[in-house]
């Protein structure tokens, strides 16, 4: 197993969220898990995009709010312009279709805000190792949805 500090000691982490309390709490949590991490906080997608354009990041952690109009467009932009970026979405959204759309846009991980610290840690480690991660709460439902999709012959 990889040592925790090895995951993010070289690459900074960019947090994007409108709620300062949530951002600071998440930053403190990440610092407990990855003590050598360098974390930058941006309050909106536009500033986050400017930041990503100025220096490389390994992780982009987004607090996605219900009804966030620009989120899908910005996630697609991030994925296209920064293909190596690990995108983690944390949200109170629980609509399966929205979560599936986010995964289809290229996010690496979806975690509900109700996740435990341990789930967050597992998500960070899984994504740094090149895997996608979805909380147990949604993974079975998404897998069933994917298996039940009908394919149309060409």
């Amino acid at each position: 197993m990889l040592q925790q500090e090895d995951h993010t000691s070289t690459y900074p982490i960019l947090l994007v969220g409108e709620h300062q309390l949530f951002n600071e709490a998440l930053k403190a949590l990440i610092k407990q898990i990855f003590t050598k991490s360098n974390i930058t906080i941006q309050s909106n997608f536009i500033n986050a995009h400017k930041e990503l354009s100025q220096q490389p990041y390994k992780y982009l952690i987004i607090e996605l709010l219900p009804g966030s109009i620009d989120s899908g467009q910005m996630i697609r932009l991030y994925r296209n312009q920064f293909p190596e970026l690990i995108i983690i979405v944390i949200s109170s959204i629980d609509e399966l279709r929205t979560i599936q759309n986010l995964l289809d846009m290229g996010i690496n991980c979806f975690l509900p805000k109700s996740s435990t610290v341990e789930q967050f840690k597992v998500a960070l480690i899984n994504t740094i190792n090149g895997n996608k991660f979805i909380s147990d709460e949604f993974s079975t439902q998404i897998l069933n949805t994917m298996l039940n999709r009908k394919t149309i012959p060409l």
Side-chain angles (χ1 to χ4, degrees), residues 7-149:
H7 296 292
T8 59
S9 59
T10 308
Y11 302 101
I13 298 170
L14 180 59
L15 299 179
V16 182
E18 294 180 16
H19 297 106
Q20 185 177 0
L21 179 63
F22 181 81
N23 291 339
E24 292 297 333
L26 192 55
K27 181 178 179 177
L29 174 60
I30 293 168
K31 283 286 193 182
Q32 288 177 8
I33 298 168
F34 299 121
T35 57
K36 295 181 183 177
S37 59
N38 179 13
I39 303 166
T40 301
I41 296 174
Q42 292 294 339
S43 62
N44 61 57
F45 287 122
I46 294 169
N47 290 341
H49 186 260
K50 288 177 189 174
E51 183 73 26
L52 287 166
S53 299
Q54 292 173 0
Q55 74 176 48
Y57 282 86
K58 186 67 175 177
Y59 284 105
L60 172 65
I61 302 176
I62 301 170
E63 176 197 14
L64 189 63
L65 302 174
S68 183
I69 297 171
D70 298 332
S71 60
Q73 181 181 1
M74 293 308 293
I75 288 171
R76 282 188 201 96
L77 177 68
Y78 296 151
R79 178 52 59 223
N80 290 333
Q81 290 187 350
F82 312 103
E84 299 300 317
L85 187 64
I86 295 171
I87 302 174
I88 296 176
V89 172
I90 301 174
S91 182
S92 61
I93 294 171
D94 62 359
E95 182 188 6
L96 196 58
R97 183 179 208 158
T98 300
I99 296 167
Q100 184 62 56
N101 286 341
L102 291 167
L103 291 165
D104 291 344
M105 288 177 209
I107 68 167
N108 301 84
C109 173
F110 179 87
L111 286 172
K113 284 188 176 178
S114 61
S115 296
T116 65
V117 170
E118 187 59 32
Q119 286 173 322
F120 182 69
K121 182 178 177 181
V122 168
L124 288 176
I125 292 169
N126 271 282
T127 55
I128 197 73
N129 288 324
N131 300 312
K132 292 209 176 214
F133 184 85
I134 306 163
S135 69
D136 293 341
E137 188 177 331
F138 296 108
S139 60
T140 303
Q141 295 174 43
I142 289 174
L143 182 59
N144 286 335
T145 300
M146 290 172 62
L147 292 173
N148 290 325
R149 284 185 182 169

